[in-house]
Amino acid sequence: MVDTGEDDLVEYGFRRVIITITAVLCAMLEIVDTTIVNVALNNMRGSLGASLTDVAWVITAYAIANVIIIPMTSWLSLQFGRRNYFAASIIIFTVASFLCGNATNIWELVAFRFIQGLGGGALLVTAQTIITESYPVAKRGMAQAIYGMGVIVGPTLGPPLGGYIVDNFSWPYIFYINIPLGIIATLLTMAFVKSPKYGEKLKANQVDWWGIVFLASFIGSLQFVLEHGQQDDWFNNNLIITLSVVTVLGLLLFIWRELTYKHPIVNLRVLKDTNLRVGTIMCFILGFGLYGSTFLIPIYTQSVLGWSALDAGLLLIPSSITTGLMMPFIGKAIQKGVPQAYMVAVGFLVFFVFTFWMSRVITPDTGAEHMFWPLIWRGIGLGLLFVPITTLSLSTLKGKSIGEGAAFTGMMRQLGGSFGIAIITTFIARFNQEHRVNLVSHLDKTSYTVQQTVHQLQQGFMAKGFSANESLQKAYKVIEFKVIVQSNVLSYIDLFMYLGILFLLCIPFILLIKKGKNKINPADAMH
């Protein structure tokens, strides 16, 4: 970046407060919108008359658009000027939110969600850059931490907020809530945010159109395969096979194009930096753990414990608050020069403690109080991972490369989340079948305990006035239901254990990282 005005962008006092609030608000809007919809899927199905597979597209479309646009953001800000691009993104996001609320059938909703995702992906990354550049170098650790609070608290605010809106109003309101916030954010952006004077714009014929096509086809197909793999039975489905081939070809063509073209849309050469390479992998695993556990816990509490969406969402709030409270301390520690590799290693260890503990407390009737402390550990672990991983990845980069490296870490975090959710849904289904078969094989009709249980249940139903035959049928039904619940619980226990092992395996890799200059300003880091 030909950066003439780095210091011109630093703001003080009132203006800086306003800019920080605007940027964090936009990042929160984007992230809350990723998870708020999960709670409302059932209501959307009912009112739009869609199947479960169709309605899953409401999440998929948004995720695909997000992941396609994130790597392109630093290039788009250069083309159109950062303030204009940021304001345009907020406007696209807000208008699409209005259209989503007014959608009359499921495919309209999916199309508008895709447009909303194109606006939203930009909000995350650009918000980070804006916060970073509004703070003087010495204070960027704090700037990072403030942004990090938004990014971690966002996914957890979605479900309880969505649950509350759906219970008290109707599902379109989860989209309408963005409109006033979007209008305020646009006005504040136009009034307060400045655009840096960076390099030259490209003419239309210099733009890396093929790069955009390859990027979209490879990431779009990958995201589709991940979201729909389990329900379409993975590689027994022709569409999944075709798209997997498109993913691989798109990736290879994309790498070739970016390395040979004069003005690449994504600069892959940044990845020569060892720390960034290790950091992108860490970001992937962080996304896996963050989104994976945010997905796993509500599913368990709703499907096994029968909680409402609102309660399931509220369960995660203490964990997010813990992370939020830790952010400023971590920002300070990094500025004082505590080695980030150690913080990340401890973070992974703490995350392992959380998953191991969860696998011990899960039963068919666990109460919220049993999950409180493990979830606090989850919050501590995320706090130790989030800022240090991003700072570490960028600790040896300079100038323009920082923004480009940050786009990679952001993209890998999102992809990690998609992989995590895809793998978790697949394994829930597979483990469920295995455990069911195992449990049923122990139900031997000749065994005394089985006979006694069936007899007791049958007597219970007869006491309620059912005939002997009906009662026997109902007794078998009860036992079958117990088997289903138990196999469900066993699957969740397995998944938490495997997640924990994954985090333990990361620790040795972290200690391989070269020491960068420790006090990089964390802010450039986050994207």
Side-chain angles (χ1 to χ4, degrees):
M1 286 182 192
V2 197
D3 190 346
T4 47
E6 190 166 322
D7 294 338
D8 306 348
L9 297 175
V10 174
E11 299 281 1
Y12 296 97
F14 173 69
R15 284 183 66 96
R16 185 164 75 196
V17 173
I18 296 282
I19 288 180
T20 308
I21 290 173
T22 312
V24 172
L25 174 73
C26 293
M28 291 277 280
L29 267 182
E30 203 283 323
I31 291 177
V32 167
D33 243 69
T34 319
T35 52
I36 195 168
V37 177
N38 301 8
V39 179
L41 290 183
N42 269 337
N43 303 60
M44 289 178 187
R45 271 174 69 188
S47 69
L48 298 173
S51 69
L52 189 57
T53 16
D54 289 349
V55 100
W57 269 101
V58 175
I59 298 175
T60 314
Y62 188 75
I64 291 179
N66 253 223
V67 179
I68 291 174
I69 204 86
I70 286 178
M72 291 163 42
T73 40
S74 76
W75 178 83
L76 285 164
S77 308
L78 277 181
Q79 284 297 86
F80 301 109
R82 181 178 306 149
R83 181 182 64 192
N84 305 344
Y85 176 49
F86 193 53
S89 294
I90 303 173
I91 294 167
I92 292 173
F93 184 82
T94 314
V95 172
S97 297
F98 174 71
L99 294 171
C100 283
N102 282 339
T104 50
N105 66 38
I106 186 73
W107 299 116
E108 262 182 43
L109 180 58
V110 169
F112 295 141
R113 274 289 278 181
F114 186 81
I115 298 169
Q116 193 190 24
L118 289 177
L123 297 184
L124 257 189
V125 185
T126 324
Q128 185 162 18
T129 325
I130 290 174
I131 290 187
T132 302
E133 297 194 347
S134 305
Y135 280 75
V137 174
K139 289 207 175 154
R140 286 190 179 170
M142 270 350 258
Q144 227 20 68
I146 294 168
Y147 173 80
M149 274 151 88
V151 174
I152 295 270
V153 176
T156 350
L157 278 183
L161 183 64
Y164 178 78
I165 293 173
V166 169
D167 290 346
N168 294 292
F169 304 96
S170 60
W171 67 260
Y173 283 90
I174 63 179
F175 295 117
Y176 293 154
I177 196 174
N178 295 335
I179 297 171
L181 297 172
I183 293 170
I184 296 168
T186 311
L187 296 174
L188 290 175
T189 303
M190 293 315 283
F192 290 98
V193 174
K194 294 181 193 166
S195 287
K197 303 175 187 63
Y198 287 151
E200 294 299 303
K201 292 188 181 177
L202 295 179
K203 299 186 184 66
N205 61 355
Q206 291 178 309
V207 172
D208 183 6
W209 296 112
W210 280 110
I212 298 178
V213 171
F214 293 144
L215 175 75
S217 60
F218 129 67
I219 289 208
S221 312
L222 176 63
Q223 189 78 21
F224 178 90
V225 170
L226 291 175
E227 303 251 350
H228 287 253
Q230 172 56 30
Q231 64 203 31
D232 298 344
D233 200 17
W234 292 104
F235 296 109
N236 297 332
N237 177 307
N238 291 335
L239 181 60
I240 297 281
I241 295 177
T242 315
L243 286 178
S244 305
V245 175
V246 173
T247 303
V248 177
L249 284 178
L251 175 61
L252 297 172
L253 287 168
F254 174 67
I255 293 173
W256 164 79
R257 172 75 179 181
E258 300 309 282
L259 294 176
T260 53
Y261 191 64
K262 190 177 167 204
H263 306 284
I265 190 144
V266 179
N267 179 7
L268 295 178
R269 292 193 172 81
V270 193
L271 289 172
K272 286 181 180 159
D273 185 276
T274 318
N275 283 11
L276 181 65
R277 274 208 305 274
V278 177
T280 28
I281 297 167
M282 291 301 150
C283 272
F284 182 82
I285 292 163
L286 173 68
F288 200 105
L290 170 66
Y291 292 105
S293 58
T294 313
F295 171 77
L296 195 55
I297 293 165
I299 281 200
Y300 159 69
T301 49
Q302 284 172 286
S303 69
V304 176
L305 305 178
W307 292 14
S308 71
L310 183 60
D311 292 340
L314 290 174
L315 180 70
L316 286 170
I317 297 252
S319 161
S320 299
I321 292 174
T322 313
T323 311
L325 292 176
M326 285 192 64
M327 287 286 180
F329 295 111
I330 304 242
K332 282 232 168 67
I334 291 178
Q335 282 173 350
K336 285 189 180 142
V338 177
Q340 292 134 345
Y342 297 145
M343 287 160 93
V344 176
V346 172
F348 276 131
L349 190 63
V350 170
F351 221 90
F352 168 72
V353 172
F354 149 69
T355 52
F356 184 75
W357 197 344
M358 279 302 285
S359 70
R360 288 281 169 271
V361 297
I362 289 184
T363 63
D365 45 11
T366 308
E369 66 281 0
H370 300 115
M371 292 185 271
F372 180 80
W373 286 110
L375 286 171
I376 294 288
W377 277 84
R378 170 181 179 267
I380 296 173
L382 283 177
L384 283 167
L385 292 171
F386 196 84
V387 180
I389 284 182
T390 19
T391 2
L392 198 71
S393 322
L394 308 177
S395 59
T396 44
L397 297 178
K398 291 186 182 61
K400 187 178 174 185
S401 319
I402 291 183
E404 295 166 336
F408 274 109
T409 52
M411 179 176 86
M412 288 306 270
R413 196 168 60 237
Q414 296 284 47
L415 276 180
S418 308
F419 265 92
I421 290 174
I423 290 171
I424 285 172
T425 36
T426 306
F427 278 117
I428 286 180
R430 301 277 154 97
F431 287 164
N432 246 332
Q433 290 164 348
E434 277 176 36
H435 287 304
R436 205 197 136 124
V437 170
N438 289 343
L439 289 172
V440 170
S441 67
H442 290 292
L443 287 177
D444 184 3
K445 275 190 174 173
T446 54
S447 126
Y448 175 66
T449 32
V450 173
Q451 287 174 354
Q452 202 178 13
T453 314
V454 172
H455 183 66
Q456 282 170 344
L457 287 167
Q458 186 183 14
Q459 292 301 324
F461 283 119
M462 284 165 72
K464 288 181 184 162
F466 291 101
S467 73
N469 272 345
E470 271 182 325
S471 301
L472 188 61
Q473 287 308 314
K474 281 190 181 303
Y476 286 139
K477 278 268 161 52
V478 168
I479 289 183
E480 184 182 20
F481 179 69
K482 281 188 176 170
V483 167
I484 291 173
V485 171
Q486 292 288 356
S487 54
N488 240 323
V489 170
L490 288 168
S491 312
Y492 291 117
I493 291 177
D494 289 351
L495 274 169
F496 274 116
M497 272 317 296
Y498 286 128
L499 266 180
I501 293 166
L502 174 74
F503 284 113
L504 268 189
L505 293 177
C506 294
I507 296 176
F509 287 105
I510 301 165
L511 305 172
L512 299 175
I513 293 180
K514 276 196 307 201
K515 291 267 183 297
K517 55 179 195 306
N518 243 345
K519 299 194 182 183
I520 156 186
N521 86 57
D524 295 343
M526 319 271 302
H527 234 346

